[in-house]
Amino acid sequence: MGKLTAEMKEFIEDVKLCVAATADSNGMPNASFKGTIQVLDDENLVFADIFSAKTRKNLQENNKICIVVADHKKMVGYQFKGEAELLDQGELYDKVCSAVEGLNLNLPKPTYVVKIKVTEIYPAPAAS
């Protein structure tokens, strides 16, 4: 099981952008930028599904996900692998929707919130 350190949490909050990699039931990969990545706690990440039709479809077929958060200027980052859960109601959904609204970017309400149970963590030098 992956435990996020204080350093990892701070890194994610500072970078605020990640790439989410998923695959459908046939193994066809998809990678998508996510600008709403947040740390939920020591074992979970979360992002808003706003314009993520392919990511959503893949996660409905295959809940495995990999999140890469990197600082391209420093050439450092992390790779978080885990299992995703799609949420369309409840306290966490409402909290993430409020955070998205607070960005003042005139974005639509998230279709889902993707909660990721982190199972593996790897340092991810952006150059490799």
Side-chain angles (χ1 to χ4, degrees), residues 94-109:
D94 294 340
K95 178 181 173 186
V96 173
C97 287
S98 292
V100 169
E101 188 176 320
L103 295 173
N104 295 317
L105 297 175
N106 202 27
L107 295 169
K109 185 174 184 178

Side-chain angles (χ1 to χ4, degrees), residues 57-70:
K57 181 181 179 295
N58 285 355
L59 291 174
Q60 288 169 335
E61 294 179 13
N62 172 6
N63 75 337
K64 304 294 186 208
I65 190 167
C66 178
I67 300 291
V68 176
V69 182

Side-chain angles (χ1 to χ4, degrees), residues 64-97:
K64 304 294 186 208
I65 190 167
C66 178
I67 300 291
V68 176
V69 182
D71 180 331
H72 72 281
K73 291 179 183 173
K74 295 180 182 176
M75 302 299 278
V76 296
Y78 296 97
Q79 183 181 138
F80 302 95
K81 293 184 180 185
E83 297 182 358
E85 178 183 2
L86 298 172
L87 307 171
D88 63 358
Q89 61 183 345
E91 185 178 332
L92 180 57
Y93 175 80
D94 294 340
K95 178 181 173 186
V96 173
C97 287

Side-chain angles (χ1 to χ4, degrees), residues 31-79:
S32 177
F33 288 107
K34 306 297 176 200
T36 59
I37 190 74
Q38 297 176 38
V39 174
L40 185 59
D41 55 36
D42 290 349
E43 299 176 354
N44 295 278
L45 300 173
V46 65
F47 67 83
D49 166 6
I50 301 171
F51 302 110
S52 305
K54 184 65 176 168
T55 299
R56 181 183 329 124
K57 181 181 179 295
N58 285 355
L59 291 174
Q60 288 169 335
E61 294 179 13
N62 172 6
N63 75 337
K64 304 294 186 208
I65 190 167
C66 178
I67 300 291
V68 176
V69 182
D71 180 331
H72 72 281
K73 291 179 183 173
K74 295 180 182 176
M75 302 299 278
V76 296
Y78 296 97
Q79 183 181 138

